[in-house]
Amino acid sequence: MAAGSSEPPAPRGTTRDHGTGGPALVPDDLPDGLVVADHRGRVVTFNRAAARICAVRTGDVLGLPLEKALPLEDLKGRRWWELTDPFGGLAIRAGQPERNLLLPGGREVLVSARYVREEPLGPVRQVVVSLRDTEARRRTERSHAELIATVAHELRSPLTSVKGFTATLLAKWDRFTDDQKRLMLETVDADAGRVTRLIAELLDISRIDSGRLEVRRQPVDLAAAVGRHVHALVAAGQPPERFLVRLHRPLPALWADPDKIDQILSNLLENAVRHGEGTVTIDVAPAPLKNDTEGTAVTVSDEGPGIPEESVNRVFTRFWRGSKRGGTGLGLYIVKGIVEAHGGTISVERARGGGARFRFTLPEAAPAYLA
């Protein structure tokens, strides 16, 4: 026990509540690794998460010197405890900020430490070390890297086309007929549209991930919105008989963001047309929701090969693509984010006649001043 301390050490596996009346904290309940060394530098606490991260048994390290129980090295191979010297270093140090360190075998962990003193500039009574596995951070970094790679790939093709056609037109304008010029300019316009859509998707993903996706609610006629999108697909060359729209009236009033609703419908209908087969059926119907509130459900189903059962749980994740290549694989991830931003839900399952069946629900969500 440190000099001047009148308080006996807490039993291993608990911490005191200091008179708050609440239950004592059990280190094994913590999600992160916790290692505590006493004033002699001997390990007195080594919780379950720390044992998992370090791949050791708690009983094998209790009582060992901290540097042996937790043999950490920095990324240059230097022994961390010799560098930091918590018990013999500067008395003004309060601890060590979080940093990447290596366990034996080269496994990377995030480590931070706090030096507990009974009085300022006094001797260190305890060293409290926090350990965090880096796997979650690595998954996030891999996701970001994959997003960057996907964006770079998707941008390269249209930008190369835009650059090529504009350079050709500028250099040899007089050599082309009006029809040739129009064809090249239409291609440039289409590719510029692809770039614009991709940038919009990236902005949506950023807002969804940060929880900053804004929903500007207005009265929305969902049946009319579905009709507009079906008409646009027919105008683009799809046969009218491929679509079956079924409206189940009366529909409750819906307050939503019209532009975001268009994004949802556009993604789901284009997905059904591109990856599905046969008739694309769109059902719009009232849907009772939780807490006795009213809402609207939209179901989009097709008669194609459907989604493999093992892929159902990944449909709304980033970069998931159907059986056919094409697109960035971000559309359904954005759809889910938009639906949830409206307070709704979305799901996917196999349709009765085969194919995929997407269903999303939106609450009525009338503004408070209309309640």
Side-chain angles (χ1 to χ4, degrees), residues 257-334:
D257 188 318
D259 293 336
K260 299 291 190 294
I261 297 302
D262 281 340
Q263 275 186 272
I264 296 172
L265 294 174
S266 176
N267 270 286
L268 293 182
L269 290 175
E270 288 181 11
N271 185 72
V273 169
R274 182 183 301 117
H275 300 290
E277 298 172 2
T279 302
V280 176
T281 303
I282 306 101
D283 287 286
V284 184
L289 305 178
K290 294 180 180 179
N291 302 323
D292 297 325
T293 58
E294 291 186 338
T296 304
V298 178
T299 305
V300 179
S301 55
D302 62 70
E303 299 174 344
I307 298 170
E309 186 175 349
E310 63 273 13
S311 299
V312 168
N313 292 333
R314 297 188 291 111
V315 167
F316 297 108
T317 59
R318 290 182 185 180
F319 311 117
W320 185 86
R321 295 181 176 91
S323 57
K324 298 178 182 179
R325 301 291 293 178
T328 60
L330 300 174
L332 291 177
Y333 176 82
I334 293 172

Side-chain angles (χ1 to χ4, degrees), residues 16-17 22 48 83 102 140 200 216 219 226 228 314 338 348:
R16 294 185 179 81
D17 60 9
R48 185 181 293 119
L83 291 175
L102 301 175
T140 301
R216 300 179 180 179
V226 169
R228 286 198 310 272
R314 297 188 291 111
I338 293 173
V348 62

Side-chain angles (χ1 to χ4, degrees), residues 142-165:
R142 284 196 297 269
S143 177
H144 289 165
E146 191 174 356
L147 178 61
I148 292 171
T150 299
V151 171
H153 174 76
E154 294 293 330
L155 285 174
R156 184 182 298 117
S157 176
L159 288 179
T160 299
S161 172
V162 168
K163 178 64 176 175
F165 278 119

Side-chain angles (χ1 to χ4, degrees), residues 39-252:
H39 68 285
R40 300 173 301 163
R42 301 279 176 170
V43 173
V44 295
T45 299
F46 204 93
N47 75 344
R48 185 181 293 119
R52 174 182 53 79
I53 293 171
C54 297
V56 298
R57 293 190 306 174
T58 298
D60 293 340
V61 294
L62 288 175
L64 290 179
L66 186 56
E67 64 271 15
K68 290 187 178 180
L70 203 58
L72 296 166
E73 295 182 350
D74 66 11
L75 300 183
K76 295 181 179 179
R78 298 174 297 184
R79 295 181 180 179
W80 194 58
W81 297 114
E82 291 182 2
L83 291 175
T84 57
D85 191 13
F87 294 97
L90 294 174
I92 60 172
R93 284 183 180 164
Q96 296 291 332
E98 187 175 70
R99 65 190 63 195
N100 285 26
L101 296 174
L102 301 175
L103 288 166
R107 184 176 182 183
E108 195 169 327
V109 290
L110 293 169
V111 181
S112 59
R114 178 171 174 253
Y115 304 157
V116 180
R117 306 175 190 270
E118 291 184 344
E119 57 185 25
L121 306 182
V124 173
R125 180 169 63 87
Q126 283 185 330
V127 176
V128 181
V129 183
S130 172
L131 303 175
R132 296 175 59 198
D133 200 329
T134 61
E135 185 57 33
R137 179 174 292 187
R138 286 185 178 278
R139 285 196 298 269
T140 301
E141 291 173 350
R142 284 196 297 269
S143 177
H144 289 165
E146 191 174 356
L147 178 61
I148 292 171
T150 299
V151 171
H153 174 76
E154 294 293 330
L155 285 174
R156 184 182 298 117
S157 176
L159 288 179
T160 299
S161 172
V162 168
K163 178 64 176 175
F165 278 119
T166 53
T168 301
L169 285 170
L170 289 171
K172 303 176 181 180
W173 179 267
D174 295 334
R175 300 185 185 183
F176 296 108
T177 65
D178 288 344
D179 288 340
Q180 290 173 324
K181 293 174 184 176
R182 175 178 292 277
L183 177 61
M184 285 189 277
L185 288 174
E186 287 174 347
T187 304
V188 169
D189 181 67
D191 286 333
R194 286 177 59 191
V195 173
T196 301
R197 286 192 298 272
L198 180 57
I199 292 173
E201 286 183 344
L202 293 176
L203 290 173
D204 284 334
I205 287 175
S206 174
R207 294 179 183 122
I208 290 169
D209 288 347
S210 62
R212 294 185 294 105
L213 186 66
E214 293 184 4
V215 175
R216 300 179 180 179
R217 297 185 185 274
Q218 302 175 32
V220 173
D221 186 338
L222 201 51
V226 169
R228 286 198 310 272
H229 283 275
V230 170
H231 179 75
L233 289 169
V234 171
Q238 293 294 324
E241 60 272 15
R242 187 172 184 191
F243 300 96
L244 173 61
V245 179
R246 298 188 296 207
L247 304 178
H248 304 265
R249 300 185 184 274
L251 295 173

